[in-house]
Amino acid sequence: MARTKKTKSNEEYVPNSEDKKKLLRIFHSMPRDVQHKDLLTTKRVIKKGNKKQLDEWKNNPKAYDIRGIDTQPEELMTKRLFYTHKYVGEPKLQPLSPEKDKLGEFNFIKGCPHPGEISFNMGVDYAEIQKTFAHELGHAYDRNIKSNYKSDGNYKFGKIGNNSLKLRNEVIKITKKISPYNQQNNPKAEIRVKERMYRTKNKEMFADWFSALLIDKNKVKKGKSFYNIFKNQEKDFIKGLKEVDKEVTSKYIKTPSKVKSKGKNSKNKRNKTKKK
């Protein structure tokens, strides 16, 4: 019988119920704030059969992630998106007209203090719909919150900080990571990129950056300049977003169990009780 070349599996490791209990005990032995931070990001998920990575995780759960143990809870993104939707005035949500060849859009009546409407292309996968929703919420935030319904929204990157060019380049770099220029398998996404001067429009830059803030905050934090400016200007919104994160992750976090002392003091206590 001919031997076949062994290839690495791309399938993720999912522990059975018995292993899950053991692994959760390790995860819950960490400080609560560490558990919380670990649940807010999903990266380097352990592949099926990779014992080396699993052993590393057991020594340090922050080193890798295990599906269902310390990966980001599924409802976290939904909660973030709908918290933001409410914060920006709850613009009406509806499917995008079939004849419009785009992913989504944010429409409003100029000069009217109305939250507007957000439309989605429902013919793409759910992850793309979430990304589109987050992007259009960025437009709604820019117009309804920052501009207070007075304009169509235009975050003034050229008027922020001491080095506006550096700031713009930082934001563009972040948006490239969450929404790459070339997405060969998604022609709908390519259409957005082909729009004239798409990446250099202030309002589009902000909407893409804002979607990154909701979908992958760790990418945004790597570009500290604008993130720090935004969180200092929009303290109420950021505070509410953090509260949403805590509300969701608290269901999966436990207080580390205290190890009972086995020192001399505990022995003396036992002897005293016996004498009584």
Side-chain angles (χ1 to χ4, degrees):
M1 187 176 176
R3 293 179 67 189
T4 55
K5 190 177 179 181
K6 201 171 183 180
T7 56
K8 288 184 178 180
S9 171
N10 286 324
E11 192 178 343
E12 292 177 356
Y13 164 65
V14 180
N16 59 35
S17 57
E18 191 175 330
D19 287 341
K20 190 173 182 178
K21 288 178 183 178
K22 294 175 183 176
L23 295 169
L24 279 172
R25 279 199 290 269
I26 296 172
F27 178 64
H28 291 149
S29 68
M30 297 194 300
R32 285 180 62 86
D33 62 327
V34 177
Q35 292 178 52
H36 169 72
K37 287 178 183 176
D38 201 5
L39 286 168
L40 292 180
T41 181
T42 298
K43 60 180 180 179
R44 295 186 296 182
V45 179
I46 295 173
K47 302 297 180 185
K48 189 175 182 180
N50 197 320
K51 190 177 182 301
K52 183 182 177 182
Q53 289 182 351
L54 186 58
D55 288 340
E56 285 182 47
W57 183 94
K58 288 176 181 177
N59 290 326
N60 177 20
K62 291 186 291 180
Y64 291 93
D65 286 331
I66 297 175
R67 186 64 62 193
I69 303 291
D70 57 345
T71 49
Q72 193 173 112
E74 289 182 11
E75 70 264 37
L76 185 62
M77 183 53 57
T78 303
K79 292 275 189 180
R80 280 179 183 163
L81 290 169
F82 281 96
Y83 156 73
T84 306
H85 177 247
K86 187 175 182 180
Y87 193 91
V88 299
E90 296 183 282
K92 184 180 178 182
L93 305 178
Q94 58 189 23
L96 193 69
S97 300
E99 67 270 11
K100 292 190 176 181
D101 202 8
K102 56 174 71 174
L103 288 167
E105 61 184 17
F106 171 59
N107 292 315
F108 55 90
I109 301 169
K110 288 188 176 182
C112 178
H114 184 274
E117 298 178 348
I118 291 176
S119 304
F120 309 94
N121 183 323
M122 303 303 289
V124 295
D125 64 62
Y126 186 59
E128 194 62 53
I129 291 172
Q130 285 185 321
K131 193 186 292 184
T132 302
F133 189 16
H135 177 92
E136 303 307 338
L137 284 171
H139 284 308
Y141 196 101
D142 196 1
R143 187 253 178 180
N144 299 349
I145 305 300
K146 291 300 294 182
S147 299
N148 195 23
Y149 304 106
K150 292 176 184 177
S151 72
D152 65 347
N154 193 351
Y155 214 103
K156 306 291 184 183
F157 283 97
K159 296 182 180 180
I160 301 172
N162 298 323
N163 191 337
S164 59
L165 181 61
K166 183 181 178 182
L167 190 68
R168 285 174 65 87
N169 289 337
E170 177 189 286
V171 174
I172 289 171
K173 188 177 179 181
I174 290 166
T175 60
K176 277 184 182 180
K177 289 180 181 178
I178 197 154
S179 185
Y181 278 26
N182 297 313
Q183 297 187 29
Q184 295 177 358
N185 298 325
N186 193 338
K188 299 285 185 186
E190 287 181 5
I191 290 166
R192 284 204 319 156
V193 175
K194 288 175 183 175
E195 290 177 8
R196 184 175 177 272
M197 303 296 284
Y198 174 78
R199 291 289 182 183
T200 56
K201 288 181 180 178
N202 281 341
K203 62 181 181 181
E204 296 299 343
M205 283 172 60
F206 177 73
D208 263 356
W209 180 89
F210 192 85
S211 73
L213 175 69
L214 298 182
I215 290 170
D216 196 340
K217 204 188 297 183
N218 288 289
K219 281 190 176 74
V220 168
K221 283 183 175 180
K222 287 178 182 177
K224 291 181 180 179
S225 301
F226 184 61
Y227 174 71
N228 287 336
I229 290 168
F230 183 83
K231 75 176 185 178
N232 288 330
Q233 289 179 349
E234 311 299 319
K235 289 179 181 178
D236 288 343
F237 173 70
I238 293 296
K239 182 182 177 183
L241 204 58
K242 287 180 178 179
E243 286 172 358
V244 168
D245 290 346
K246 285 182 180 179
E247 179 192 342
V248 174
T249 58
S250 64
K251 302 173 189 175
Y252 305 88
I253 292 171
K254 286 188 178 179
T255 303
S257 55
K258 292 179 181 179
V259 180
K260 292 181 179 179
S261 175
K262 293 182 180 180
K264 292 179 180 179
N265 291 336
S266 59
K267 285 182 179 180
N268 290 336
K269 284 180 182 178
R270 281 200 298 270
N271 290 333
K272 285 179 181 179
T273 53
K274 283 180 181 179
K275 288 177 181 179
K276 288 179 181 177

